């Protein structure tokens, strides 16, 4: 894959910061098959459904977990042991050497790239679209069409930086409505005119439509183009390359697409 695009986490991921949770350990399905296998502690969250979460039996589930279990099946030299924790503690634990791999729908950005080693093979699409409620009119296709409109923006994100840079070059034509709102609050805001548009991934757009029985529509083109990656300590290229190689095999075999369809409801791997 080429150079990573430099964007921050989406509204959905940022929203997990308000939750707290206890740590939990779980081994992958292949643990113990090879007595000489090296244990890899995977740090992940526990409240970001359907990517990483604890089910009603307090068992760790989700797309990220199942992808890594499939990866582990292809790497007999390793077995993965999952430790769930609060989102804010995952990368801190990676820096402290408490975990060796971080998995929580991480998109690349310059700040993280300076501290950590990112995989080169993405496992989920992380592109962002301009989104509005269909009852408010046609879909917005470009930033130019947002002139004079109010747009929800999460402060401090790369999406915010893109819109702020656009405004600097275009005399503040877009009215930025800074908010951490997500879910029902964001959807209602798009319906009642608090904002005319937001910037969301296709997955979040589809999820909100199904969850709240609404008709959000996304632009055909994206304003960011990125994927999510697993994250490692600097210098751990051996593990990174092994996982990337297994991920590419899963892509080539169609297994990753199948997992996305089963867990996320559609193929978000491309």
């Amino acid at each position: 894959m080429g150079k990573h695009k430099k964007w921050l986490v989406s509204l959905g991921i940022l929203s997990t910061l308000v939750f707290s949770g206890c740590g939990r350990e779980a081994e992958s399905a292949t643990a113990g098959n090879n007595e000489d296998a090296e244990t890899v502690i995977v740090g992940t969250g526990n409240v970001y459904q359907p990517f990483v979460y604890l089910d009603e039996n307090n068992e760790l589930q989700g797309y990220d977990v199942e992808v890594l279990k499939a990866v582990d099946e292809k790497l007999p030299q390793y077995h993965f042991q999952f430790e769930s924790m609060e989102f804010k503690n995952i990368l801190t634990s990676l820096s402290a050497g408490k975990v060796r791999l971080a998995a929580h729908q991480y998109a690349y950005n310059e700040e993280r790239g300076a501290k950590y080693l990112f995989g080169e093979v993405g496992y989920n699409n992380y592109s962002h679209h301009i989104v509005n409620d269909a009852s408010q009119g046609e879909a917005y296709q470009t930033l130019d069409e947002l002139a004079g409109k109010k747009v929800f923006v999460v402060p401090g994100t790369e999406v915010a930086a893109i819109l702020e840079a656009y405004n600097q070059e275009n005399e503040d034509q877009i009215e930025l409505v800074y908010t951490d709102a997500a879910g029902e609050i964001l959807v209602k805001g798009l319906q009642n005119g608090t904002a005319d548009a937001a910037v969301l991934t296709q997955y979040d757009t589809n999820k909100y439509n199904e969850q709240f029985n609404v008709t959000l529509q996304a632009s055909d083109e994206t304003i960011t183009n990125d994927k999510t990656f697993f994250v490692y300590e600097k210098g751990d290229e051996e593990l990174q390359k092994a996982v990337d190689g297994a991920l590419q095999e899963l892509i080539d075999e169609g297994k990753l697409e199948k997992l996305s369809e089963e867990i996320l409801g559609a193929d978000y791997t491309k």
Side-chain angles (χ1 to χ4, degrees), residues 88-119:
K88 65 182 181 181
N89 293 332
I90 300 173
L91 292 182
T92 301
S93 296
L94 185 64
S95 297
K98 296 179 180 179
V99 304
R100 191 174 169 188
L101 189 159
H104 201 289
Q105 291 290 297
Y106 287 109
Y108 182 88
N109 64 63
E110 287 184 327
E111 181 181 0
R112 286 181 183 153
K115 295 180 180 179
Y116 307 105
L117 175 66
F118 273 70

Side-chain angles (χ1 to χ4, degrees), residues 34-50:
N34 178 4
E35 292 182 357
D36 297 323
E38 182 178 0
T39 297
V40 173
I41 305 298
V42 176
T44 191
N46 50 31
V47 294
Y48 187 35
Q49 192 170 357

Side-chain angles (χ1 to χ4, degrees), residues 17 103 109 117 120 157 165 207-208 224 264 267:
L17 291 173
N109 64 63
L117 175 66
E120 292 290 339
T157 65
K207 177 184 71 175
Y208 291 158
T224 72
L264 306 182
D267 179 15

Side-chain angles (χ1 to χ4, degrees), residues 25 27 47 81 112 206 262 264:
E25 295 184 0
E27 291 190 352
V47 294
Q81 181 174 303
R112 286 181 183 153
N206 293 344
E262 289 177 350
L264 306 182

Side-chain angles (χ1 to χ4, degrees), residues 81-212:
Q81 181 174 303
F82 297 87
E83 183 172 344
S84 64
M85 61 191 73
E86 290 184 67
F87 173 74
K88 65 182 181 181
N89 293 332
I90 300 173
L91 292 182
T92 301
S93 296
L94 185 64
S95 297
K98 296 179 180 179
V99 304
R100 191 174 169 188
L101 189 159
H104 201 289
Q105 291 290 297
Y106 287 109
Y108 182 88
N109 64 63
E110 287 184 327
E111 181 181 0
R112 286 181 183 153
K115 295 180 180 179
Y116 307 105
L117 175 66
F118 273 70
E120 292 290 339
V121 178
Y123 64 99
N124 195 40
N125 188 299
Y126 201 66
S127 300
H128 288 79
H129 301 254
I130 302 170
V131 175
N132 69 307
D133 189 83
S135 66
Q136 306 300 318
E138 297 294 325
Y140 299 107
Q141 297 297 337
T142 67
L143 293 182
D144 289 340
E145 293 180 16
L146 294 176
K149 305 298 182 181
K150 295 176 290 186
V151 179
F152 279 138
V153 179
V154 178
T157 65
E158 195 68 18
V159 168
I162 291 171
L163 296 177
E164 289 163 354
Y166 178 90
N167 268 350
Q168 288 180 355
E169 296 177 359
N170 295 276
E171 301 179 346
D172 293 325
Q173 292 187 19
I174 303 174
E175 182 180 345
L176 304 183
V177 181
Y178 291 96
T179 179
D180 288 325
E184 187 175 11
I185 296 174
L186 182 142
V187 169
K188 286 185 175 179
L190 292 176
Q191 290 180 315
N192 64 26
T194 302
D196 300 293
V199 179
L200 302 173
T201 64
Q202 188 65 61
Y203 171 76
D204 281 334
T205 304
N206 293 344
K207 177 184 71 175
Y208 291 158
N209 281 339
E210 181 177 353
Q211 185 175 0
F212 304 113

